[in-house]
Amino acid sequence: MLTPQIIDAAVAAALREDAPWGDATSEAVIPAGATATARLVARESGVFSGGEVFAAAMRLTDPAIETALTLDDGEFFSIGKVLAEVSGPARSVLTAERVALNFTQRMSGIATLTARYVGAVNGTRARIVDTRKTTPGLRPFERHAVVSGGGHNHRYSLSDAVLVKDNHLAVLTAGGLSVTEALREVRARIGHTVHLEVEVDRLDQIEHVLAAGVDTIMLDNFTVDELREGVALVHDRANVEASGGVTLDTVRAIAETGVDLISVGALTHSARALDLGLDVVLRG
Amino acid sequence: MLTPQIIDAAVAAALREDAPWGDATSEAVIPAGATATARLVARESGVFSGGEVFAAAMRLTDPAIETALTLDDGEFFSIGKVLAEVSGPARSVLTAERVALNFTQRMSGIATLTARYVGAVNGTRARIVDTRKTTPGLRPFERHAVVSGGGHNHRYSLSDAVLVKDNHLAVLTAGGLSVTEALREVRARIGHTVHLEVEVDRLDQIEHVLAAGVDTIMLDNFTVDELREGVALVHDRANVEASGGVTLDTVRAIAETGVDLISVGALTHSARALDLGLDVVLRG
Amino acid sequence: MLTPQIIDAAVAAALREDAPWGDATSEAVIPAGATATARLVARESGVFSGGEVFAAAMRLTDPAIETALTLDDGEFFSIGKVLAEVSGPARSVLTAERVALNFTQRMSGIATLTARYVGAVNGTRARIVDTRKTTPGLRPFERHAVVSGGGHNHRYSLSDAVLVKDNHLAVLTAGGLSVTEALREVRARIGHTVHLEVEVDRLDQIEHVLAAGVDTIMLDNFTVDELREGVALVHDRANVEASGGVTLDTVRAIAETGVDLISVGALTHSARALDLGLDVVLRG
Amino acid sequence: MLTPQIIDAAVAAALREDAPWGDATSEAVIPAGATATARLVARESGVFSGGEVFAAAMRLTDPAIETALTLDDGEFFSIGKVLAEVSGPARSVLTAERVALNFTQRMSGIATLTARYVGAVNGTRARIVDTRKTTPGLRPFERHAVVSGGGHNHRYSLSDAVLVKDNHLAVLTAGGLSVTEALREVRARIGHTVHLEVEVDRLDQIEHVLAAGVDTIMLDNFTVDELREGVALVHDRANVEASGGVTLDTVRAIAETGVDLISVGALTHSARALDLGLDVVLRG
Amino acid sequence: MLTPQIIDAAVAAALREDAPWGDATSEAVIPAGATATARLVARESGVFSGGEVFAAAMRLTDPAIETALTLDDGEFFSIGKVLAEVSGPARSVLTAERVALNFTQRMSGIATLTARYVGAVNGTRARIVDTRKTTPGLRPFERHAVVSGGGHNHRYSLSDAVLVKDNHLAVLTAGGLSVTEALREVRARIGHTVHLEVEVDRLDQIEHVLAAGVDTIMLDNFTVDELREGVALVHDRANVEASGGVTLDTVRAIAETGVDLISVGALTHSARALDLGLDVVLRG
Amino acid sequence: MLTPQIIDAAVAAALREDAPWGDATSEAVIPAGATATARLVARESGVFSGGEVFAAAMRLTDPAIETALTLDDGEFFSIGKVLAEVSGPARSVLTAERVALNFTQRMSGIATLTARYVGAVNGTRARIVDTRKTTPGLRPFERHAVVSGGGHNHRYSLSDAVLVKDNHLAVLTAGGLSVTEALREVRARIGHTVHLEVEVDRLDQIEHVLAAGVDTIMLDNFTVDELREGVALVHDRANVEASGGVTLDTVRAIAETGVDLISVGALTHSARALDLGLDVVLRG
């Protein structure tokens, strides 16, 4: 999902943002011929994500920088671990540093938070999935980080799946159609590869929705007891997604209701950056 | 700083990211002629930021959407407050919703966190300032949000100010120059409008740095006692910036040492999104 | 699917391609103040598609051009029918003419060809669907034209659905896994909204594929008798798609086998442009 | 004309269109280390065009893919001929396949159709030339394909030549100028490198147009007899272009009238894709 | 030639260059509600060019700015003349000022210099034409300015005309072809709308070149006497262009030799900016 | 400041501008296998600037071209000096020639003019600095050329420094604030790294401005005597910049008044291109 083309476009834009007309400090302070080695070091433990992005920030700043990644995305690391080693022209390494860190810290932060959720539901059938509550411009990076942390992805965008919510249903049935009829019409309109998910607020809606043959049913803001009852009602006729206000404290109980999917907006909208640093050694 | 051009470019890119070939749900579910009104509602209290960005997400999705902002950026709001009102074609309002929220929730999250830091140093001379630890691609938005929260901005990028760190100094003085001589050479090389800031780790470096005539001196990872001593040594010959591991718990004590600037990376790299929602009412 | 943003970007690029530094003829020949009216006229009968694109070519050349569309996309028209009326500055109308026609003729050509296929399967359960054999850069336009002609869309791209072909299966089962096991692993790896389609070449593969719980099974280059047998075997446990060498001569028999989907590459890769012309009247 | 820059820009855009966030199938199905070889094979005979474009689709997807072209653009091939050989990472080869084929099939389709027209006029002085009725965004590719088929190019765009049509002439002479005077004024206004072509509908217009010193005269929708008479009237004082409704059935007779140029819109607006396929062999 | 699309793209880029993250002065100094009027005033006399570009710089900075142009491009003005009047939000007018002036001063400088050359050849048949020695990125603006000054344009680019120079001829004839034969082959290869110009260094080359039927012959670095002799030899069989080291001192004598075209690189590569200023009146 | 990214983006755009659909001459005249060597030769003496840009024009046209630079930017050269040597495919060298020269001639022209100003103030404390009167789109190139000539850069853009002019001051003090108070408010509003410069027209303004603690004071259109008096008044409390109508005739006297900075708009807005040529040798 995180293709070289996607990485390079976003990293190049970030480098232009951070040095629109060059790095004044490096140019004024560092001799043109100086070289540097640097280590990406974990200042706290976590799950790694963004290795290729880190390397791209170095390479796009200066093809003369060599980057060796020590971990694959998705691997756990302890405090003090060296995650990557870099060597090349000193000016360039210093110019690339902040952008490389900004990506990797954010992605590893998301991966680490995701891994905590995934760990919390261990042994259940529930997948931890992301949402569209991503940082504008960084969706493929954040979705990749969720996968690094052991999570799964929900739909990518508004274009590739249909998600019918309650106020949609109200409009659909305003003319007298039943919920089932209305959803069958939706299914008839959309492409056969377009996933059809429907959100319900109450247990009594479930049967009407299932009768239309949907792919996933989202139980929104259900209590744990309601979720358990919902799962029983669906009885494997569709995927069941729990959604709404999920936290690390509540996710285990939700998973144990037997739902297939638990979507967590906080994975991407509220993960904090992981503390990674670049230890640079300059040589004249 | 947050010009219409900057807003429109980033919002248009985010809209393309979230609906690369249209909104499958709106097209399949909502009648073409349906209209909607919607309210941006605070689900928790905070400081508003991103009003113009919210409006741009609506307008760039469909010029027929009208958006009325109820607050200016920088204003405090309580839970339940209506921050903006929207009306227009239902399909378009629903298509724009997530992108509009993704920007505004993030920006208001940063503004709200900044305001807490600013409040904590109230009555001191210290400015709370941001860093370059921003989300790739969103720097002007996040700097704007810091200002909404009552903070100030540090340099924008590597291009517009020089910040000399300890390993820079090591390189500069490797050939036998003193720190003062080396910094004077840096000053002579850079443009007269380029701000010169130097980072020091120890109190005994301060006098050598000041002798070169720098604009700002950064005291990195100093204790509160060292900071107080540093401020006395500088004695208003340069701005004094405290940096390193600042938290809401420590920021007041740091400010009371008399420093001019306290830089806080967490403002942008670890603010969580504020909980804002869009309450939509569809009309057939 | 064909959003204003998509239309405007492609049309603006086409206008730049066709007049990179202006329209030498209009500038040299037509007085600056001259006006024109023009009619988009059908020189043969067909199904209309691309009305909004036609209007955008006029508007993006010159906002002073007014365009009134007489038909909606998807409507049938006879030879001689006026499909749109245009009025505005003569120079601009002439500059926009060719790009406007190039889009609309191509799209209406695809819609018209699609309508012939759709008509041929009338009364069966089969959908006529497109493929990824589209013109580079014009996929959303060509998919829209297929819908104008009464067809449906297959997956948009490689990103939004999985289609496992025979040589994929060979790789998947190289290590000793059965086809069913291998496909279950694929299903476990992909997002729950990602459609899973599998192509088979022989009837005996069907049961193994279905056992893994796929969404669609593609019967590739099956005879009509084999298709009928395949439909019976699947027995509504997945969508059945017929694919390979479908023509107007064979499509009816294929549809009558009971397949759900018939994919036709020729809809987009080999439709000819429909003969539409712009009758322009200049006024000094 | 088809420069590396033009090829790379259009191919990169097509690859983004076909895999906006990666190739879900390759990622889920093909092991990261698997390799593939593939052959581009002719499923029908024709004239090759687009070899460099095919190679670029492979290279831009993954620089690790090697492509060896077996034919040059413009060469004829028989059914079963191997046109190119590819080897590299299996995931990447499969990701690139469809875009590579979409370009090459279309370009070879145009080259093959052009070659039939060129063959039909063999031995006459007539050039087969293209028009501006090209696919939006692909003009340089389609013009290149016309040359591959032995045809020649007409003007590239509205910017680089003037083509005065009958309704232009009406405007030009509305104020009382004769056709000859009006065209002389046009000539005086335009740059000396700008080709001046004038379209006429009737034989009696020819002398007036020639008197102004035009470069090419287009005889639009003339019968074969009228064309022969027109060629005699022009008597080598300008290029003579025949235009309008030319088909493979009529082109020979038109060419034998002695015209210099025969423009054929169908070369680009209605050529069907040639049937080329990629035979892929995957290796674990 | 200077289309709205070309103007807007270049002006928007220039505005981004001059205010990448806003106008720090206007934001800090000017109240948000302040308005301004401003006059574009000639501080020296000259020929106006770039009026629409000036207006676009204002409009693209802020649609609320109104600009009224007092002169058309190509008109002469005296010192002190008001060339345009502007009114709108004060911050925006000040933000747009420099970019608006940078374009208009440069374009008017070129127009004014061109007008001096054109005036110098008044009454002869010679056109003053530009070259490809333009500022990278600004070719259409500079060509437009040449036309504003009464000059004409040479070919736009390498793509739209062929210019064969002496070292080309050496290569063409290396295999034993005569110059005439070689040029006939070139003519046969290129499109019929592509202008064919050939550069010669000596009088004895002229007949060989003309025998091939070229459109323009360039007499490069000829003396005035040689030019006169060259014109006689050509005898209206092609356009004659004088080229090389033309100055205001020599251009009249060159024109009087009877050449059709005099190309002057200095028009675009060495024109100085005309002194135009913006007199701004701010209102609280 | 002139990063590889900036160079490549502008050079690629210039190459597209100069050969939007290829080089018609090279394609028609030069055999595909021909090679060329070429020398960049000084036809007049000067200061070199743009070596890397020249090399990029060659490389981006064709990676097979090798370029060896003989001089570094900033070095003086005499007439006849070979500045660079090029070898590679003949078609590509000829295609790249004009763009390579257009950049290098312009940049070396600016460097050479700057060096004359810098030489004229030799031995004084004055820096020669540029302005924002640069060519739209080429600012980093022109600023780099100024540095090549021994000059220094003023602020890059409106975003990175504040420059308060007289009409700004009028607005600021309209409400009754003194100049000093008003400027203190500006200082309080802007970031601590933002340079604050204030323009004054009269000597009596200086003390009020200095009292607010500005970084640079600009003495605009002062006589030499006034400048000398101004320098004395400022007494090293801020940088002193002389501005307005500076010429090579007046710059020495201005420098001898003791000012720190002399800004010269003519460096960039009115430098003529230096006469550099490419001597090409083609080989069949």
Side-chain angles (χ1 to χ4, degrees), chain D residues 178-200:
Chain D
S178 72
V179 164
T180 306
E181 289 164 335
L183 289 172
R184 280 190 182 134
E185 287 202 357
V186 171
R187 175 67 95 185
R189 257 175 240 140
I190 64 180
H192 70 282
T193 68
V194 177
H195 193 86
L196 177 56
E197 176 161 354
V198 179
E199 175 191 294
V200 298

Side-chain angles (χ1 to χ4, degrees), chain B residues 2 15 17 35 63 89 91 99 109 139 145-146 159 166 172 205 221 251 260 265 278 280:
Chain B
L2 205 46
L15 290 168
E17 181 184 63
T35 60
R91 285 184 173 180
V99 167
R139 185 163 292 172
V146 166
S159 298
D166 51 355
L172 279 169
Q205 297 171 297
N221 285 316
V251 70
D260 302 288
L278 197 70
V280 183

